[in-house]
Amino acid sequence: MTAYPQLHMMIDGERVSGGDRATHRVVNPATGETLGELPLATNDDLDRALDAAQRGFRRWRHSTAHERAAVLQGAARLLHERADALARIATLEEGKTFAEAKSEVGMVAGLFNFYAGECQRIYGRTLVRPVGMRSTVTKEPVGPVAAFAPWNFPLSNPGRKLGAPIAAGCSVILKSAEETPASALGVLQCLLDAGLPPEVGQAVFGVPDHVSRHLLASPIIRKLSFTGSTVIGRHLMKLAAEDLKRTTMELGGHGPVLVFDDVDTSRVLDAMVPYKFRNAGQVCVAPTRFIVQEGIFDDFVRGFAERAAAIKVGNGLDPVTRMGPMANARRPEAMERMIADAVARGARLHAGGDRIGNQGFFFAPTVLSNVPLDAELMNEEPFGPIAIINPYVGQDDMVAEANRLPYGLAAYNWTENASRQRRLARELEAGMVTINTTAVGGADSPFGGVKWSGHGSEDGPEGLEACLVTKAVHEA
Ligand code: NAD
């Protein structure tokens, strides 16, 4: 069985740790036990990383697409070879089930393979000009990227932050969450072992506010890529605006799920209930507000609560577990606060509602109905295992509720009516809309939101485009 690795930063190819650096205690959320001590960056560490990123960009921007593709394909192969070890580390750090963690490895490998192909199709165009003149439009890598990845997908968030910039010819300084450092280092190591020059891909950790202020104040960094909460995203965008840096922002959501009375309720529940409680609900595209037509409302609530109560909650390394703990001590506290507020305002509790056990950060799959609009839960992203189910009569009201919040990440729909499906796809304010499925993404598909859920896309050709700048060249 893989032991939890020694923690370090990766700066200019060197494993950096120790000295008089402060450290952060990395904790197993299933047991509360300490996994390791993570070194936190000093100003000197960050300056070294910036200097290396500048050299890395000068070198990598001149690499051929074939070189970049070979690194990405090699890393994808290594990810598959190391899948069990990486998944175990992610489960130890974040708590999610081993099966979920392993599927993240597959997602990253798929993305690296997709970008290995896509980087060979970075095309420009030739403009029509008088004979003797030539005008071309070309694409170039934007420059060194500062990328901030959260803890909820310990492997695939870092994979997304690294894959597209490296494919585009950028260098990257990755600051992944301090809660899940070994997973991020494991992904980076696959790239380095596949031949990525060490100054092109680096990893630092630290006090998040210190690291982001330091990196974003540097003119070397030309792009900010952030996944996390809307509050922090707004703050980082302001820092990036000082130097007019390019931004890709993947922020919070509050996923609406519109369920119409023409569906097979059991089929919808069988798909949506496990999906709701995936990673203990700590997913930016998690379905949160179930907006259900009156005719099937009672059946839907009953079926949801029965399925939620039957979910086996436990240590993610135990094969019978279907939902692990929450990732850190902040999350169960937030769940308790939001549930108490909703119930005090008249919401009905049908399942869960409490912590489980007295070690780790376990919280029961929770189902609430008839939650009033002024409850905190109806306005703030719960980011946890809470499903809200409210009754509605007509489609217009359902769409209005879905679009009520300033968030617009993923919106889910269940209906067999074809004209309604097209209207929903048109009217919902979201970056990703699904009809009769939970599948919101894929390596070839843009992933991102609108309004307060951010802007720009990751994955797909759009994710690569976001790491490129456009240049027009006019020759007489
Ligand atoms: P948080 O807002 O403190 O942190 C979210 C992420 O941002 C973490 O990875 C953190 O390390 C990073 N971060 C925080 N401050 C930063 C700064 N000044 N500079 C750079 N990075 C910084 O919240 P949290 O308690 O870790 O998570 C809870 C909330 O975060 C949730 O309610 C959810 O809205 C959001 N979140 C969203 C995603 C997502 O996938 N969009 C992932 C994780 C957390």
Side-chain angles (χ1 to χ4, degrees):
M1 193 164 282
T2 335
Y4 188 75
Q6 274 300 115
L7 295 172
H8 55 82
M9 292 181 280
M10 187 60 95
I11 299 177
D12 203 5
E14 192 194 326
R15 292 180 176 214
V16 174
S17 64
D20 52 9
R21 290 178 183 83
T23 59
H24 170 88
R25 196 163 69 91
V26 181
V27 168
N28 180 339
T31 61
E33 286 162 357
T34 301
L35 292 167
E37 291 289 339
L38 177 69
L40 304 183
T42 62
N43 283 340
D44 284 351
D45 292 330
L46 297 175
D47 287 338
R48 267 188 70 200
L50 284 164
D51 176 66
Q54 188 166 35
R55 279 185 280 113
F57 177 56
R58 287 190 187 128
R59 172 173 177 179
W60 201 236
R61 70 179 304 182
H62 297 301
S63 61
T64 65
H66 289 113
E67 281 174 74
R68 301 199 293 278
V71 166
L72 289 162
Q73 282 163 343
R77 272 194 301 277
L78 292 172
L79 281 161
H80 283 303
E81 278 172 34
R82 300 173 189 176
D84 282 355
L86 287 168
R88 185 169 178 278
I89 287 168
T91 296
L92 286 173
E93 291 183 331
E94 204 264 359
K96 65 175 57 190
T97 65
F98 179 79
E100 276 180 42
K102 203 160 167 186
S103 74
E104 278 193 58
V105 181
M107 280 164 66
V108 181
L111 190 65
F112 285 1
N113 277 325
F114 176 78
Y115 278 135
E118 204 59 21
C119 73
Q120 299 177 69
R121 293 186 285 271
I122 300 177
Y123 300 130
R125 67 186 201 276
T126 306
L127 306 179
V128 177
R129 287 291 180 271
V131 173
M133 273 193 76
R134 193 171 63 163
S135 289
T136 50
V137 179
T138 59
K139 299 282 177 182
E140 297 180 352
V142 61
V145 177
F148 299 86
W151 40 263
N152 59 335
F153 286 85
L155 298 160
S156 63
N157 282 332
R160 274 189 171 143
K161 296 293 171 214
L162 292 163
I166 286 169
C170 301
S171 56
V172 192
I173 302 177
L174 172 70
K175 191 207 81 65
S176 216
E178 284 66 33
E179 282 101 333
T180 54
S183 304
L185 287 166
V187 174
L188 176 61
Q189 195 61 52
C190 289
L191 287 157
L192 294 170
D193 291 347
L196 185 74
E199 64 274 30
V200 176
Q202 307 181 84
V204 298
F205 300 99
V207 174
D209 190 50
H210 168 230
V211 177
S212 52
R213 281 182 194 274
H214 198 100
L215 295 183
L216 294 176
S218 166
I220 291 171
I221 297 298
R222 293 313 323 149
K223 173 169 173 160
L224 157 68
S225 175
F226 175 74
T227 299
S229 61
T230 297
V231 173
I232 301 292
R234 190 178 283 124
H235 162 68
L236 295 185
M237 269 190 77
K238 286 181 187 159
L239 295 179
E242 283 296 317
D243 190 35
L244 292 172
K245 296 183 202 302
R246 187 91 165 263
T247 55
T248 295
M249 312 302 286
E250 299 283 359
L251 307 178
H254 205 291
V257 185
L258 283 66
V259 189
F260 292 85
D261 61 11
D262 59 18
V263 296
D264 172 347
T265 312
S266 299
R267 184 176 147 241
V268 178
L269 289 168
D270 288 345
M272 284 320 270
V273 176
Y275 186 66
K276 164 69 227 177
F277 297 112
R278 179 173 71 125
N279 196 22
Q282 302 163 117
V283 180
C284 56
V285 292
T288 295
R289 282 170 294 152
F290 290 81
I291 298 167
V292 179
Q293 253 186 332
E294 262 184 346
I296 55 167
F297 179 74
D298 290 338
D299 272 359
F300 194 86
V301 173
R302 196 176 318 112
F304 210 117
E306 280 166 15
R307 285 168 176 77
I311 289 174
K312 176 90 184 76
V313 180
N315 189 314
L317 291 177
D318 184 340
V320 302
T321 295
R322 290 293 169 269
M323 188 181 105
M326 304 202 75
N328 55 54
R330 299 187 294 282
R331 300 317 307 151
E333 281 165 21
M335 298 308 100
E336 284 179 331
R337 188 190 68 239
M338 287 181 160
I339 292 168
D341 169 71
V343 170
R345 291 171 195 273
R348 295 177 55 198
L349 179 67
H350 301 271
D354 288 314
R355 293 174 190 243
I356 302 177
N358 54 8
Q359 66 163 25
F361 313 127
F362 292 97
F363 203 91
T366 296
V367 180
L368 290 165
S369 76
N370 303 86
V371 184
L373 288 189
D374 61 355
E376 185 187 358
L377 258 180
M378 290 300 283
N379 299 285
E380 300 297 325
E381 181 179 30
F383 220 66
I386 304 178
I388 304 161
I389 313 177
N390 281 352
Y392 290 82
V393 179
Q395 179 167 344
D396 288 345
D397 286 348
M398 293 167 80
V399 170
E401 166 53 21
N403 290 340
R404 176 180 58 90
L405 293 181
Y407 299 103
L409 197 54
Y412 304 86
N413 300 279
W414 293 87
T415 177
E416 296 299 330
N417 180 317
S419 66
R420 178 184 278 156
Q421 291 172 354
R422 279 194 300 277
R423 210 184 123 195
L424 290 166
R426 214 170 39 238
E427 291 182 353
L428 289 169
E429 296 166 4
M432 293 163 283
V433 173
T434 77
I435 313 277
N436 297 341
T437 176
T438 57
V440 278
D444 57 353
S445 166
F447 185 97
V450 297
K451 305 197 290 185
W452 283 15
S453 294
H455 57 249
S457 304
E458 292 189 298
D459 303 353
E462 292 83 357
L464 186 61
E465 182 70 32
C467 298
L468 298 168
V469 287
T470 304
K471 183 183 274 177
V473 180
H474 304 284
E475 300 165 69

